[in-house]
Amino acid sequence: MMEDRVVDGNYAQELHQKRVREKLNDEKIKLWLPPYTKEDGSRGDSPNDLIARYAQDLQLTEEMVSGITENLRVHALHKLAEREKYKKSGLASLKVKMTGLPTSADKVQHISLEISLNVLGKDLRDMLSERMALPADQLKLICQGRVITNQTSLESQGVKHGCQIMGLCLSMSQAETARQQEDVARMIDTRKAAELLSDNAETGDYDIQIADQSGRPLNLPTAEKKALTLAMTLHEKGRAALKKQEYGRALLLLLEADKEFRKCRADILNAVDNYAVLCLDIVWCYLCLRNVEDLHDADIRLLASEDCFQRTYGNNMERLLAVKGGSGTELALFMRLHLLQGIVAFHQHRTEEAGRLLNKAEEELQRLNVDEDKLAQVIHMGFQERDGRLALRLTNGDVEASIQYIMKKREEKKEITKKVEEEKRKKKLQKCLGSTAKGDKVNVDTYEMLLAMGFRNGASAEALRQSNNDLSLALEVLQNHPELLDLPDPVTMDSSVSITDDMLAQVISMGYESDMARNALQKHHGNIESAIEDLIKSGGVVLSPNGESSSSGPSTSSSHSSSSADKQKQKEVLDDLVSDIAKDEDDYLDLTLQEETQFLNHYKSLLESIKK
């Protein structure tokens, strides 16, 4: 899972080099200018007093300081040469760090190349494909936390001279190429499915509830709820891939989610901690893909995550305490945040800060560890392992308090679920009731008041449609139009019955207009005899069952079959998508902490080795 570094070699050398560079910068010493560099670029004078002073201040040998200053001088000249070449030729120098290569799936490879920033993203991908002898379709490139797309220029996507780019090879071996291609297609389908899901965010069996920290749904405008639904769905799909350790695919999905989150208003994002968790998940992918030490984006995302947590929970988690009465579960997020911050600080050679952050993460990890015997007691009482683990963390290991917390939590969830289900019931009912003459939705509460008075379902719905939801006028309509009592219940009516051309022809042949024939057939679920009987009784005028004008176009069995096939396909796609969406708002907090413990021990041991 992790790639060991030669601590007494590369890292120590990089650390010493960083400290020498800082002193040079503080004293404004420019090694690429005389007297340190001659006109031909060769090494000039290196003042012995400077080398001796640096060696004493940094506790290094003079030989080491001399070697480091020469390396820094050569590196500076190389950078200047690249910059001059870029100005003259327009060819930018880029560094690409490739991961997931088929021949070395557990290692990375660094590639330097020159390319114009005016070319398309596809051109850069093709260049790498040729250099690496890998299929272009299997390569994904990421710069500053954004996936480089094929059809726009590198410059317009924020790629600059000297940029560090992360390259993902989605094919782990030649034998798995076909499967990886399916994964790429599946990711694209996931986005389409997520967009479809967001389009249906207000109704149906796929209504996604966006809740605050207490688990209560937020009342958001439709457009913003759709945007958040798409972002959160892509995030959940990415987390599902992350749990399967499919880090490349997970990162692509998480970055897609990030793109959608950035479209939402800041005040909406401040009401939930989803974006902070997303930033953590993205940096976790960087770590598992061995890119955390090179990506400036990791540092930026961790700062954004920390800022979001502080706004959401308070500096000392006081807002969380006020809402949930505890902070044991969310502590897992802070622990992962401090762990990742410590690892990033380590790779940026900020060893003191890294040590402080890793110690903080270790302290939080110890507080989060659950006694296995106590967990067994909770499970023995008939509760799930994840519920027991979260509760024990929240109650600091108190078994009795944990059981009480779980029971209380279940009651709260029942109450919230009951309210949510009632809202969904009303939304579905409102859809069946149709619209008023003014185009407004029929008011469900007023409709149910009429039912309580003893009026029939179909009549009540039609009366409200004609009266524009005015109760007094609806009562007058019901009194003056007793024929409305024959209208069917709009809820139980199956509006999806296929009205074929043959059905219409038989009714029209009796002398009735096509629109009225269609209305009658829909009202009586395709029963021709009942439709004709109703038309005779009503004098040839039958209202549309849903209170809306019926379509004048033909409805053939073939078009119905095509529509049904499309709906079935949509249902299959959505079913596959929601299978990865967590059913519990605390699911993202249920960390087993095994991977976190391994990374923590690994980097603490590296720090200890450096100190020695």
Side-chain angles (χ1 to χ4, degrees), residues 24-42:
L24 290 169
N25 290 337
D26 289 341
E27 298 180 15
K28 296 182 172 54
I29 295 176
K30 300 178 180 180
L31 296 177
W32 59 93
L33 297 177
Y36 312 104
T37 299
K38 297 179 181 179
E39 291 185 2
D40 61 359
S42 61

Side-chain angles (χ1 to χ4, degrees), residues 380-603:
H380 183 69
M381 297 296 292
F383 300 109
Q384 296 293 324
E385 179 181 342
R386 65 174 303 281
D387 293 333
R389 181 162 48 244
L390 291 173
L392 285 168
R393 285 174 180 166
L394 188 67
T395 60
N396 295 317
D398 188 320
V399 175
E400 184 176 347
S402 296
I403 293 173
Q404 292 176 356
Y405 172 79
I406 295 173
M407 297 297 291
K408 179 183 177 182
K409 189 77 173 176
R410 286 185 176 182
E411 289 302 316
E412 290 176 352
K413 285 182 180 179
K414 283 182 182 179
E415 177 188 345
I416 294 172
T417 300
K418 185 178 179 180
K419 290 182 179 180
V420 170
E421 289 300 322
E422 177 64 11
E423 290 177 3
K424 290 176 68 174
R425 183 191 71 81
K426 286 187 175 182
K427 286 179 182 177
K428 287 185 178 181
L429 176 56
Q430 193 171 59
K431 185 179 179 181
C432 296
L433 296 178
S435 303
T436 66
K438 289 184 178 179
D440 299 326
K441 295 178 180 179
V442 171
N443 188 290
V444 174
D445 292 332
T446 309
Y447 168 76
E448 292 184 336
M449 286 176 64
L450 289 175
L451 296 186
M453 294 178 188
F455 294 104
R456 294 182 182 178
N457 304 64
S460 299
E462 181 57 30
L464 289 172
R465 285 194 285 263
Q466 293 187 23
S467 65
N468 295 307
N469 285 323
D470 187 301
L471 180 61
S472 299
L473 291 178
L475 290 170
E476 288 184 19
V477 170
L478 289 168
Q479 291 173 358
N480 297 331
H481 297 277
E483 70 274 9
L484 296 180
L485 298 176
D486 293 330
L487 288 175
D489 184 348
V491 177
T492 59
M493 180 184 62
D494 182 5
S495 61
S496 64
V497 171
S498 173
I499 308 302
T500 66
D501 288 342
D502 184 57
M503 291 179 183
L504 282 170
Q506 291 186 56
V507 179
I508 293 172
S509 68
M510 301 298 293
Y512 297 106
E513 296 180 2
S514 60
D515 285 350
M516 294 300 104
R518 185 181 301 280
N519 288 348
L521 285 167
Q522 288 180 340
K523 177 180 175 180
H524 295 281
H525 316 304
N527 187 305
I528 297 174
E529 292 182 2
S530 297
I532 294 174
E533 184 179 342
D534 195 358
L535 285 165
I536 294 173
K537 183 178 178 181
S538 63
V541 178
V542 175
L543 295 172
S544 173
N546 59 4
E548 300 170 354
S549 299
S550 59
S551 172
S552 60
S555 177
T556 63
S557 58
S558 61
S559 64
H560 173 70
S561 175
S562 175
S563 176
S564 298
D566 290 342
K567 288 181 178 179
Q568 180 60 30
K569 177 63 177 176
Q570 286 185 359
K571 185 178 186 304
E572 291 174 359
V573 170
L574 290 175
D575 285 344
D576 175 68
L577 181 65
V578 300
S579 65
D580 288 326
I581 296 178
K583 302 298 188 294
D584 192 295
E585 71 272 11
D586 286 338
D587 180 75
Y588 68 102
L589 301 173
D590 183 33
L591 303 176
T592 62
L593 307 179
Q594 293 177 352
E595 288 182 308
E596 287 82 355
T597 301
Q598 291 177 15
F599 277 118
L600 178 65
N601 293 337
H602 178 72
Y603 279 93

Side-chain angles (χ1 to χ4, degrees), residues 86 92-95 115 117 143-144 154-165:
Y86 172 59
S93 296
L94 303 178
K95 307 293 184 184
I115 192 170
L117 299 180
C143 180
Q144 298 179 352
L154 295 176
E155 187 174 31
S156 66
Q157 298 185 66
V159 180
K160 300 177 181 179
H161 168 71
C163 263
Q164 171 85 36
I165 293 176

Side-chain angles (χ1 to χ4, degrees), residues 116-129:
S116 169
L117 299 180
N118 294 323
V119 304
L120 302 179
K122 180 180 181 299
D123 298 319
L124 174 59
R125 191 189 66 173
D126 291 342
M127 178 184 289
L128 278 169
S129 171

Side-chain angles (χ1 to χ4, degrees), residues 99 138 140 142 147 166 168-172 179-191 233-257 282 285 289 576-577 579-580:
T99 66
Q138 300 305 121
K140 292 289 182 181
I142 299 169
V147 178
M166 177 180 178
L168 288 178
C169 178
L170 297 182
S171 174
M172 301 303 175
R179 183 185 67 81
Q180 292 291 355
Q181 288 173 338
E182 292 176 359
D183 279 353
V184 175
R186 191 176 357 138
M187 192 204 73
I188 296 171
D189 288 341
T190 295
R191 179 178 178 82
T233 303
L234 289 165
H235 186 189
E236 287 294 332
K237 203 71 177 176
R239 287 179 62 82
L242 195 57
K243 288 180 180 180
K244 298 174 185 175
Q245 297 186 345
E246 299 174 359
Y247 301 118
R249 181 170 170 265
L251 181 57
L252 296 178
L253 286 164
L254 294 174
L255 291 176
E256 282 293 309
I282 289 174
C285 276
L289 289 166
D576 175 68
L577 181 65
S579 65
D580 288 326

